[in-house]
Structures are given as C-alpha cells and as structure tokens.
Amino acid sequence: MKKFRYLVPDLYMADPAVHVFNGKLYIYPSHDIESGIPENDLGDHFDMRDYHVYSMEDAEGPVTDHGVVLDVKDIPWSGRQLWDSDCAFKDGKYYLYFPLKDRNDIFRIGVALSDRPEGPFTPLDAPMKGSYSIDPCVFRDDDGTFYMYFGGLWGGQLQRYRNNKAIECGHEPADGEPALTARVARLRDDMLEFGEEPRDVVILDEKGMPLTAGDHDRRFFEASWMHKYNGKYYFSYSTGNTHRLCYATGDHPCGPFTYQGVILTPVVGWTTHHSIVEFKGKWYLFHHDSVPSGGKTWLRSLKVVELEYNPDGSIKTIQGTAE
Ligand code: FUB
C-alpha cells in the first residue's frame, strides 16, 4: 500500500487507536458529530457522545463496523465530550480507556470493560483516581508491564496541572522554559488505576536539553502514542497548533526521549492524531483528516497509509496532503 486509504466513508471518525487482537486489526476511534457548537480554542465543538469499534482482517480489506460500544448516557459520572480512547487486553479482558468531562467540566479518564475486543464495553462507576486531561494511550511492554501515556494542552486542560495537582490558574510556561510534557504511569495489576504517580515524558533536543514551551514546531501538545521498533521506544505525538505528528526515541518506556523528526506534515483540519502498528510484516500509520467534510475541523475521517523506516531506524516523513 503506497496511497492513503479512507476507511469509513459513512461516518465521521477520528483519533484512531489501533491494536492487533486475535490476528485482526481493531480500531478504537472518536466519533465526530455535527454538534452545532461554534469552534473555539477549548474544543467545545468536539462534543462526541459515543464510540464505535471497527475491525479489519487485512489493512487493504473490508472494514467491519461493530456499532456503538459505549454511550455517554451509560457512563455514571458523565458530563460531556468523549474524546480519544484506547484499548488494552490482559488476562481475558479488554479495557477501554476514555477521556470525558465530569459534571464539573473537568476531564478525567474512565475505564470500561468487555470480554471481547469489539465490545460492548461496561463502564466503571467512577473515573481513575488521580486522572486528569485527555488522550490516554496504553502500551504493553515486552515484560508484560502496561503503561498509560496521557495529556493534552488547551481544551485538553493539561496547562491546569503541575506535579499532578490542579493549580489555581491554568497557564503554559514562558517560551524559554521547559515545555509541559505528556504524562506516563505504570498501570496497577488490575488495569483499573495508576500503579504509581504519573511522571513527565521528557523530550530532549539535540543538545540534551528539554524542549522549550516556545518551540511550537517540536514540543508535545496532545495525541500520545508509543510503539517499539528494533528494541527502541518511539514516543509520537501531535504538536497541536503547528499541526505536525512528531516522534522522539528512548531506551525506556518512561523516557527520557530525544526528538527525532516529523512523521506526518499537516493534514487538512486543525487536529492531527494517529497510531502506529505493525501487522503482517508491515507498519501502518492510522490517522485522520477533514478532507471528506470539506475542511470542517470537527468532522474528521479515518485514514491509513504504510509507514516506512530508514536503515538507521528513523521514520520516513509522510506528506499529510498527498493523495
Ligand atoms: O477528538 C478530540 C481531540 O482532538 C482529541 O482528544 C485530540 O487528540 C484531538 O485529535
């Protein structure tokens, strides 16, 4: 596969988290809708209300829609806005992790369980203790330890926290100070809570210094993803207001990571978001853009394209607007 492929022509879907379960690709996207809420920097226009799950036996074959697997009205603590989710499998159970605003309009991360990768998922009564912000990504390391990466700026509320505590007045650091980072925490054995205090996912520049808050072309904004290639950990993410998908590599799942480059140049639409997965000997970049909706940033469509590495392990940059 060389060309981009749109996956779901009948519904707007975004933020694909993709995993291989039982020999098939399973896609866990956000479900975009026309909410009628005007666009703003806090993302109020992303007023999503349910999740679907999709599966594929082949990256180039048909896509199966397993229908609605979790609805906001069935989540006991729900306020509004079901954003980017992820799914993990352990000991016969599938765990769907999702960010949702509670009744105080604060993003928390919830968990819902199923016996099957295609759901439906049953939510727990309360969000994960100590959880905040958005975009959970769960990674299983080769030793069986699960880590959750999370966080997102602006509408994702990450600027409202320091050292895992809410601060009185949310703000980003000054341009020359270290940038706010994604967070990572080992999950508890039962997969339902953090097993430790979340830590900073530090990204260093070529001189070994943390990326600064003013470095909008490279600093973390949202959309964490982790994958491992040839024994290295690849942390990838969106730079938000500069609309790039970038990556940094390290020797430990919690970092530190060193900035490497751009995976995907800007797509049509404000947000960019992705997952990277190996399937049947090839690597794929699942992502979204707003081309089918005519550029409406809140109505995004799922895409996939093959991802390639150079012999030194660097990722070949993909043009976001190529056909
Ligand atoms: O889909 C809502 C938000 O837009 C996600 O949580 C972000 O990553 C961005 O894609």
Side-chain angles (χ1 to χ4, degrees):
M1 180 196 292
K2 282 287 168 225
K3 291 188 168 202
F4 290 92
R5 175 185 173 200
Y6 283 101
L7 293 168
V8 181
D10 60 327
L11 288 173
Y12 292 114
M13 295 279 162
D15 307 330
V18 181
H19 294 278
V20 179
F21 294 132
N22 306 328
K24 289 190 206 173
L25 288 164
Y26 281 88
I27 309 175
Y28 300 87
S30 307
H31 179 190
D32 284 355
I33 52 165
E34 184 64 88
S35 65
I37 297 172
E39 198 171 346
N40 62 27
D41 280 353
L42 295 180
D44 284 328
H45 45 297
F46 294 117
D47 191 24
M48 294 88 105
R49 307 201 180 146
D50 62 29
Y51 291 118
H52 285 230
V53 172
Y54 293 87
S55 65
M56 299 161 79
E57 301 209 359
D58 197 282
E60 299 183 37
V63 180
T64 303
D65 181 356
H66 297 281
V68 175
V69 299
L70 180 63
D71 194 299
V72 73
K73 67 177 166 20
D74 298 326
I75 301 171
W77 53 276
S78 69
R80 60 182 181 131
Q81 296 184 296
L82 280 174
W83 285 12
D84 159 56
S85 66
D86 196 8
C87 187
F89 171 72
K90 184 180 177 186
D91 297 340
K93 289 264 181 240
Y94 294 84
Y95 298 83
L96 185 73
Y97 299 92
F98 57 89
L100 173 67
K101 283 181 179 163
D102 64 16
R103 288 174 191 151
N104 295 317
D105 234 24
I106 306 293
F107 268 116
R108 308 280 178 205
I109 296 172
V111 191
L113 274 65
S114 179
D115 294 330
R116 299 178 306 174
E118 70 272 27
F121 289 87
T122 306
L124 299 187
D125 285 347
M128 293 172 70
K129 289 184 201 75
S131 66
Y132 58 95
S133 200
I134 60 165
D135 289 3
C137 156
V138 176
F139 168 74
R140 181 189 184 277
D141 205 357
D142 298 334
D143 65 0
T145 308
F146 285 87
Y147 296 89
M148 179 183 286
Y149 302 81
F150 64 95
L153 291 173
W154 298 12
Q157 303 181 341
L158 188 62
Q159 68 281 1
R160 298 188 187 179
Y161 297 84
R162 295 291 189 277
N163 302 316
N164 302 319
K165 302 269 181 300
I167 55 175
E168 204 158 326
C169 235
H171 63 281
E172 292 179 64
D175 279 1
E177 292 177 5
L180 292 177
T181 64
R183 306 282 193 266
V184 57
R186 187 172 39 78
L187 289 180
R188 213 167 64 181
D189 279 352
D190 67 4
M191 302 288 278
L192 303 181
E193 301 285 354
F194 295 135
E196 62 183 2
E197 279 278 296
R199 322 176 207 184
D200 289 354
V201 178
V202 174
I203 303 176
L204 305 172
D205 66 13
E206 59 289 349
K207 295 184 183 134
M209 299 301 289
L211 294 183
T212 55
D215 189 350
H216 290 201
D217 281 344
R218 299 192 295 177
R219 62 91 172 88
F220 169 82
F221 187 96
E222 63 186 3
S224 296
W225 189 256
M226 170 57 65
H227 76 279
K228 208 169 176 179
Y229 176 74
N230 282 349
K232 282 255 174 214
Y233 297 88
Y234 286 62
F235 176 71
S236 48
Y237 57 96
S238 162
T239 60
N241 58 324
T242 53
H243 318 289
R244 298 162 175 207
L245 287 179
C246 294
Y247 73 108
T249 58
D251 296 320
H252 187 275
C254 300
F257 299 93
T258 302
Y259 179 84
Q260 300 295 338
V262 176
I263 298 172
L264 184 72
T265 63
V267 295
V268 171
W270 199 95
T271 68
T272 188
H273 194 123
H274 69 301
S275 56
I276 295 170
V277 63
E278 184 182 22
F279 187 57
K280 297 186 178 172
K282 290 184 176 179
W283 286 87
Y284 296 97
L285 178 76
F286 286 82
H287 57 293
H288 66 229
D289 72 20
S290 297
V291 170
S293 71
K296 289 182 181 152
T297 235
W298 60 96
L299 294 178
R300 301 162 292 180
S301 294
L302 292 185
K303 297 173 85 177
V304 63
V305 67
E306 198 174 331
L307 176 137
E308 294 174 309
Y309 298 88
N310 293 304
D312 65 359
S314 57
I315 292 175
K316 293 187 183 174
T317 301
I318 299 167
Q319 297 303 312
T321 51
E323 289 302 311

